Amino acid sequence: QVQLVESGGGLVQPGGSLKLSCAASGSIFRINIMGWYRQAPGKERELVARITSGGTTTYTDSVRGRFTISRDNARNTVSLQMNSLKPEDTAVYYCNFGGYFGGYWGQGTQVTVSP
């Protein structure tokens, strides 16, 4: 059984940085798309960033230039470096392997940006 475990969330002041990491346990092979989603209270889950096995990245407009997604294919890990954080970045962040539909999801990690 595949499990994704996130780490690195927490409380940070506006303008600060956090790095989220996600590691997979269990048998998992050839995951093309790895990504990070987030869900704020009262809002739908949205894509933050995703990366293909070849390294092609996609970012939602609100985080482009501030967040960087990376992955280690050999270790089946994906990370999200978040800089210049804003209060509107506050949400539960979820890592995803394999796409929104039918993929694997982590349990979520809370990121709170507040003075």
Side-chain angles (χ1 to χ4, degrees):
Q1 184 176 358
V2 175
Q3 287 188 323
L4 303 185
V5 179
E6 298 124 337
S7 60
L11 173 64
V12 64
Q13 293 185 343
S17 298
L18 283 174
K19 184 174 183 177
L20 306 182
S21 297
C22 177
S25 62
S27 297
I28 189 167
F29 301 102
R30 297 181 180 180
I31 296 295
N32 183 27
I33 301 291
M34 294 182 180
W36 289 93
Y37 290 73
R38 67 186 179 187
Q39 188 166 20
K43 295 187 176 181
E44 293 186 352
R45 190 172 297 189
E46 65 170 353
L47 174 69
V48 177
R50 63 186 177 200
I51 183 169
T52 69
S53 57
T56 300
T57 57
T58 303
Y59 296 94
T60 192
D61 287 346
S62 62
V63 308
R64 189 174 293 112
R66 299 188 296 121
F67 291 11
T68 303
I69 189 170
S70 60
R71 65 187 282 173
D72 184 327
N73 291 327
R75 299 186 178 188
N76 280 327
T77 60
V78 63
S79 298
L80 186 68
Q81 177 67 47
M82 305 185 294
N83 298 328
S84 302
L85 282 160
K86 304 176 181 180
E88 51 263 44
D89 295 317
T90 295
V92 178
Y93 284 69
Y94 299 87
C95 69
N96 171 273
F97 283 20
Y100 191 94
F101 297 104
Y104 302 101
W105 291 92
Q107 80 284 358
T109 185
Q110 178 71 45
V111 171
T112 302
V113 185
S114 179

